[in-house]
Amino acid sequence: MDRSSEIGVVGLAVMGQNLALNFARNGFRVCVYNRTPERTEAFLRDRVRGEPIVPAYTIEEFARCLERPRRILLMVQAGPAVDQVIEALLPHLEPGDLVMDGGNSHYADTERRMQWLADRGIRFLGVGISGGEKGALLGPSIMPGGSPEAYAMVEAMLTRIAAQSEEGPCCAYMGRGGAGHYVKMVHNAIEYAFMQGIAEVYDFMKTALGMPTEAIAETFERWNEGTLNAFLTELAARVLRYRDPETGDPLVERILDKAEQKGTGRWAAQSALELGVPTPTLTVAVLARTLSHFKADRERIGAAFPWPDRRTPSSPEAALSDLEAALNLVVLAAFSQGLWLLHEASRAYRYGTDRAEVLRVWRAGCIIRARWLGFLREVVREDPEDPHLLFSARFRAELQARLSAAGRILREAFEAGVPMPALSTAADYVLSMRRSQLPANLIQAQRDAFGAHTYERLDRPGVFHTEWLD
Ligand SMILES: NC(=O)c1ccc[n+]([C@@H]2O[C@H](COP(=O)([O-])OP(=O)(O)OC[C@H]3O[C@@H](n4cnc5c(N)ncnc54)[C@H](OP(=O)(O)O)[C@@H]3O)[C@@H](O)[C@H]2O)c1
């Protein structure tokens, strides 16, 4: 088996197993290695059915079984595990070999590892992969970043195993350095916002409109036929339809309302704050998950804080079309904010990311695949240098058509005691970005009054300070 495998996969949890099978199904010879040998054995026993996959039980054996230059994909837990695996691999690698990290690593870690390996003549790519278990097996969306030379070593392989859309394979070079992981991080932040928006309209239908779970599922199914056609819309419907085999009730109604997170949404929010890019809808989706964790506190406060909590007087029919418009607004605002963040990050970190290509790669295979992506790509291509989409007349028209409906939903939600932070921030984002005059003048005046922080004037250039309190 020496030197015969075209690709090596390290880490055989959910993603590694399915990607290894995907490579093999596409005709590539694969060598697999996992720290715990029992997992490798179980994989071969339970899932490998004659595909060209060979196991290695030591790192030495793994390095020996790969063609030179080696191509290795790490699919281990993000964080210190990636460094530990690289450390173990290093003595067995040679200059010219390529290591790819396909996990959800932080883009700054990716840049550090790239430098670390470059010093030893070894190439490194940070590869964002989206699509979960099924995507990994049948065709994920792949976002590789690093040097173009390193990408050229695996382009043919990655584009073969990626999801295929009408616009080509859902894998493209995302730019230099940590660009691949940065793009994946923004993808996840948009995913958080989209899911938060879905959760909010579900809450509105349940609480404000008093709709049963089945009817809510039906509504998502209907919406999935229109502009909201998206993996997450369809998934919401399917999850809502699922009945608990034990109780016969919709399982979703039995699930504890505390949302978990693994870090990519938070990293996106942190990066946006550092770069000075306003991404309120992406950020609030992270905060909403955090807030959900305080269940005991919420119960205690809720018991002592009366609020109408009543159903809205509107008929479901009237409210549902507004609600559909409102969710569309959340989705459009989330993409606009995410693309702005990508623009600024690409400039600040010199990634050279082509956002039209990003949108093309998100067309299929990934969690945020949605009908809107084709339109968004056209908008970005109108002027690729525009930071966000709001400079486009076509994009603004889509927002404008939905803003009043969002406002009506927000008013009713308030009366019904339904919090809608993603929708509120989406609407506020649009309202703020269309205001040439914001009240930041008063903030500047106060800053100058208490801290002599100075201010600029509308009517003449320069920096001014006033003794306000004399
Ligand atoms: N699950 C998804 O849907 C999904 C989607 C996209 C991206 N990702 C990302 O893809 C990566 C893999 O995800 P996953 O869900 O398949 O697996 P995971 O649960 O994140 O990680 C488990 C794998 O990491 C290995 N590992 C952990 N610590 C290690 C160490 N110190 N040294 C060597 N190996 C170590 C484990 O080996 P042992 O068997 O020896 O413990 C196992 O193979 C993660 O970065 C994840 O965030 C996941």
Side-chain angles (χ1 to χ4, degrees):
M1 81 176 209
D2 276 7
R3 292 182 176 232
S4 65
S5 297
E6 292 154 283
I7 178 91
V9 177
V10 180
L12 289 176
V14 179
M15 294 298 282
Q17 288 197 14
N18 288 298
L19 286 164
L21 287 166
N22 188 349
F23 277 118
R25 206 189 51 239
N26 279 289
F28 298 110
R29 296 184 301 280
V30 187
C31 182
V32 293
Y33 169 78
N34 192 75
R35 175 182 62 176
T36 310
E38 289 75 20
R39 212 196 268 268
T40 311
E41 285 162 5
F43 171 57
L44 285 151
R45 186 183 62 235
D46 302 337
R47 301 206 58 198
V48 179
R49 298 280 172 268
E51 291 92 348
I53 298 180
V54 294
Y57 289 97
T58 64
I59 283 273
E60 294 85 338
E61 206 186 319
F62 176 72
R64 257 203 326 271
C65 85
L66 297 170
E67 271 182 9
R68 316 293 195 269
R70 296 176 180 86
R71 287 172 288 203
I72 296 171
L73 175 64
L74 309 184
M75 285 312 301
V76 299
Q77 203 170 40
V82 178
D83 290 316
Q84 285 161 19
V85 173
I86 294 174
E87 199 81 67
L89 270 170
L90 262 180
H92 309 285
L93 299 183
E94 291 158 276
D97 288 349
L98 167 68
V99 177
M100 294 176 276
D101 174 13
N104 280 335
S105 293
H106 192 280
Y107 59 96
D109 284 337
T110 300
E111 305 245 348
R112 171 178 59 76
R113 288 168 186 143
M114 209 164 269
Q115 192 53 55
W116 174 27
L117 294 194
D119 293 344
R120 289 158 179 78
I122 293 160
R123 292 176 166 143
F124 189 80
L125 286 175
V127 183
I129 301 182
S130 174
E133 185 175 4
K134 263 212 165 140
L137 180 65
L138 303 173
S141 170
I142 308 180
M143 298 151 251
S147 75
E149 297 75 31
Y151 179 56
M153 286 175 70
V154 280
E155 181 174 4
M157 281 182 145
L158 296 182
T159 49
R160 271 274 279 287
I161 69 156
Q164 308 293 322
S165 83
E166 288 158 17
E167 292 166 20
C170 292
C171 171
Y173 178 61
M174 297 283 108
R176 290 178 288 276
H181 281 139
Y182 199 95
V183 171
K184 174 68 196 312
M185 176 187 83
V186 172
H187 164 286
N188 285 18
I190 294 171
E191 173 187 312
Y192 275 47
F194 200 151
M195 290 177 75
Q196 177 63 27
I198 286 176
E200 290 173 14
V201 297
Y202 150 74
D203 193 8
F204 189 95
M205 285 189 258
K206 187 165 109 168
T207 311
L209 301 178
M211 288 167 63
T213 310
E214 283 283 301
I216 301 174
E218 241 173 73
T219 306
F220 279 116
E221 279 158 8
R222 205 173 55 252
W223 289 354
N224 193 41
E225 303 296 313
T227 50
L228 284 170
N229 174 267
F231 170 72
L232 285 169
T233 311
E234 185 193 336
L235 187 67
R238 294 184 68 170
V239 163
L240 287 161
R241 283 235 181 258
Y242 189 89
R243 287 194 176 267
D244 180 11
E246 279 172 42
T247 62
D249 293 340
L251 180 57
V252 73
E253 304 304 344
R254 300 243 165 196
I255 292 182
L256 179 67
D257 52 326
K258 290 182 179 180
E260 298 294 338
Q261 50 183 313
K262 282 193 167 170
T264 40
R266 189 179 67 242
W267 295 342
Q270 286 168 334
S271 177
L273 287 172
E274 278 163 19
L275 291 170
V277 183
T279 57
T281 312
L282 308 187
T283 304
V284 90
V286 181
L287 298 177
R289 288 194 188 192
T290 308
L291 193 150
S292 76
H293 265 252
F294 294 88
K295 172 121 176 128
D297 293 17
R298 290 189 279 120
E299 281 171 342
R300 193 170 144 201
I301 295 164
F305 198 130
W307 188 252
D309 259 336
R310 60 166 178 254
R311 287 197 195 171
T312 126
S314 319
S315 69
E317 296 71 41
L320 284 180
S321 95
D322 279 353
L323 209 53
E324 182 180 10
L327 183 54
N328 273 292
L329 191 83
V330 170
V331 173
L332 292 172
F335 274 103
S336 178
Q337 293 167 25
L339 288 167
W340 190 357
L341 180 57
L342 269 182
H343 175 86
E344 292 302 327
S346 179
R347 212 174 44 84
Y349 304 132
R350 301 179 200 284
Y351 290 152
T353 303
D354 175 346
R355 294 176 305 162
E357 277 295 87
V358 172
L359 291 165
R360 190 183 65 72
V361 162
W362 289 347
R363 255 335 261 284
C366 71
I367 305 296
I368 59 171
R369 60 187 185 261
R371 182 167 296 168
W372 276 117
L373 284 162
F375 166 76
L376 296 176
R377 185 160 177 246
E378 284 170 23
V379 170
V380 165
R381 287 167 98 180
E382 280 172 18
D383 190 344
E385 294 314 312
D386 278 352
H388 43 68
L389 308 174
L390 290 152
F391 287 147
S392 154
R394 290 175 67 199
F395 187 74
R396 284 195 306 273
E398 295 293 349
L399 297 177
Q400 202 154 13
R402 294 174 171 90
L403 197 55
S404 299
R408 285 191 291 274
I409 292 294
L410 284 169
R411 280 190 289 278
E412 293 199 11
F414 188 81
E415 292 304 322
V418 175
M420 300 191 83
L423 180 58
S424 319
T425 52
D428 277 344
Y429 172 73
V430 178
L431 289 177
S432 298
M433 289 298 289
R434 69 158 294 284
R435 271 305 279 289
S436 62
Q437 175 76 46
L438 286 169
N441 48 334
L442 179 55
I443 295 172
Q444 282 297 81
Q446 284 191 296
R447 290 179 72 245
D448 190 51
F450 68 65
H453 292 302
T454 72
Y455 57 90
E456 291 176 86
R457 294 179 60 111
L458 288 168
D459 50 1
R460 56 191 130 108
V463 175
F464 301 88
H465 169 62
T466 299
E467 290 300 326
W468 299 84
L469 307 178
D470 283 348

